[in-house]
Amino acid sequence: MYIARIKSALGGFARREDGTIAMEAMIIMPVMFWAFLSMFSIFDAFRTYSINQKAAFTIGDSISRETAPLDQAYINGTHAMFEYLSRSQGQSALRVTSLLYDAANDRFSADWSKTAGARNELSSADVEGWSTKLPVMPDGERVMLVETWSEYEPPFNTGLEEREIRNFVFTRPRFAPRVCWEECE
């Protein structure tokens, strides 16, 4: 009799449907919460990439408009401007290089290269084979190359990794045939 009563109570419990929504919500809510945080993190990553790229183009454009020779204080100032515009979260770096194209030898050479941050300057040997990285140019033409690096850390740990955002932006000098370093020859 006691066992029959337990079987009857368990059978009734199994047939009851109240509380199923609460159980389903307990199961699905963590998945929905993780999906929301993941979407937010992915959106933030794309937004940060876009902001960094726009900041690099802004710096490239401002340098290409210079008619006076640049110096290290100018490079440090543009690095500070990059950090402000990109809202850098961690370490960032900036490298500005003036490149000259030699059509006879189909190669580039560096007039000068200066950095702010933990990066090395480029030499002519570093850039001579960059015909696939840079645009088609006439002989003797110069282009300003601005490279930026910035650390990205996702806001939530949902599977995205910390990474470095790198931009490679080139701009032709606008108001002068070249942008000089410290003095024009």
Side-chain angles (χ1 to χ4, degrees), residues 5 18 30 35-36 48 78 82 88 97 108 111 117 120 124 127 129 132 139 154 159 170 183:
R5 202 181 307 169
D18 57 329
F36 175 76
T48 303
T78 56
F82 172 74
S88 292
T97 307
F108 288 89
D111 289 330
N120 295 326
S124 290
V127 301
T132 58
D139 187 37
F170 45 85
E183 62 182 55

Side-chain angles (χ1 to χ4, degrees), residues 22-99:
M23 291 302 291
E24 290 171 358
M26 283 180 49
I27 293 169
I28 201 69
M29 283 305 281
V31 174
M32 287 178 58
F33 189 66
W34 177 84
F36 175 76
L37 291 180
S38 294
M39 286 188 291
F40 183 83
S41 294
I42 291 169
F43 173 80
D44 183 64
F46 279 112
R47 182 186 63 81
T48 303
Y49 270 82
S50 175
I51 288 171
N52 273 272
Q53 188 175 39
K54 289 173 186 171
F57 274 107
T58 300
I59 288 171
D61 187 55
S62 69
I63 290 173
S64 73
R65 294 170 186 269
E66 289 295 328
T67 55
L70 305 184
D71 58 7
Q72 192 60 44
Y74 186 93
I75 299 298
N76 292 339
T78 56
H79 181 238
M81 183 172 71
F82 172 74
E83 286 184 332
Y84 174 75
L85 291 173
S86 65
R87 301 178 191 133
S88 292
Q89 299 172 350
Q91 296 288 9
S92 69
L94 169 80
R95 177 168 53 207
V96 178
T97 307
S98 176
L99 300 173

Side-chain angles (χ1 to χ4, degrees), residues 97-128:
T97 307
S98 176
L99 300 173
L100 172 67
Y101 180 65
D102 178 14
N105 298 314
D106 189 30
R107 68 180 197 198
F108 288 89
S109 62
D111 289 330
W112 55 267
S113 179
K114 299 299 174 185
T115 64
R119 297 293 166 174
N120 295 326
E121 296 173 355
L122 292 174
S123 67
S124 290
D126 294 329
V127 301
E128 67 182 18

